[in-house]
Amino acid sequence: MPYQHILVAVDLTEECDPVMQRAQKLAASSHAKLSVVHVVEPMAMAFGGDVPMDLSMLQQQQFDQARERLDSFAGKYPKLSADQRHLAYGQPRQEIHRLAEEQGCDLIMVGSHGRHGLALLLGSTANDVLHGAPCDVLAVRLNKPE
C-alpha cells in the first residue's frame, strides 16, 4: 500500500537536501502529502539541564532563527506550503513522534550517516527516531562530509 503522508525530519543543514529530494520523489510516486519538521532543542539540555540563569530570551531568538531557516529551506521546495512546515520545541524523538501521530503520517524520513563503532553506540537522531516510532521510518544514507 503506498504511503499517504510523509514527514521529513530535518536539522536544516545542507545535508538535508538529499533527504528532501528523495522524499519528494517518493511522495510524487505514491501521490502522498509531504511535510517537514525541524525540532529546536531546549538550551538547558545542552548544558545538562542545570542552568543558573534564565535562557528564555536566548531560546526565543534561537526559535525565531530556526523559523527563518526552515522557511528558507522549504522555499527551495515550492510544493511545501506553510501548513506543511512544522517547527517544534523539545526532545527531537518525542516531538517527531508526536507530530507524526498528530498529522497521521505513515512514514518518517530522516538522514543517517550510517555510523559504526563508538558513534553508533552513542546513538543519533535517526536511531532515536526509529525506536518507538508510530509508523515506518526510512533512513536516507548521507555521504560523509569531506
Side-chain angles (χ1 to χ4, degrees):
M1 189 163 148
Y3 292 110
Q4 302 294 307
H5 191 172
I6 300 169
L7 177 64
V8 184
V10 296
D11 63 3
L12 299 177
T13 63
E14 290 176 7
E15 292 180 328
C16 296
D17 287 317
V19 180
M20 204 59 206
Q21 290 160 4
R22 180 80 54 93
Q24 279 189 307
K25 288 178 184 169
L26 184 58
S29 70
S30 60
H31 305 290
K33 179 178 178 180
L34 187 61
S35 295
V36 64
V37 61
H38 174 69
V39 181
V40 177
E41 292 185 71
M43 286 183 165
M45 287 175 71
F47 294 106
D50 212 14
V51 184
M53 57 202 229
D54 182 14
L55 296 175
S56 58
M57 204 161 94
L58 285 172
Q59 195 73 56
Q60 186 59 49
Q61 287 176 337
Q62 183 186 23
F63 199 80
D64 293 343
Q65 288 173 351
R67 167 65 63 201
E68 288 175 22
R69 289 176 51 220
L70 178 60
D71 288 343
S72 175
F73 173 80
K76 295 188 276 186
Y77 304 97
K79 292 185 179 179
L80 275 179
S81 63
D83 68 324
Q84 293 167 277
R85 305 172 192 175
H86 303 278
L87 190 60
Y89 176 78
Q91 200 273 339
R93 180 190 59 169
Q94 291 173 347
E95 293 304 311
I96 293 166
H97 288 177
R98 178 190 60 75
L99 187 63
E101 280 191 62
E102 270 179 22
Q103 297 288 314
C105 299
D106 48 3
L107 177 65
I108 298 170
M109 289 183 69
V110 293
S112 174
H113 288 283
R115 292 185 173 97
H116 302 287
L118 185 60
L120 183 61
L121 286 174
L122 294 175
S124 67
T125 300
N127 190 40
D128 243 10
V129 169
L130 178 63
H131 298 286
C135 58
D136 291 352
V137 177
L138 174 60
V140 177
R141 187 176 177 95
L142 302 171
N143 294 326
K144 292 180 183 171
E146 310 251 341

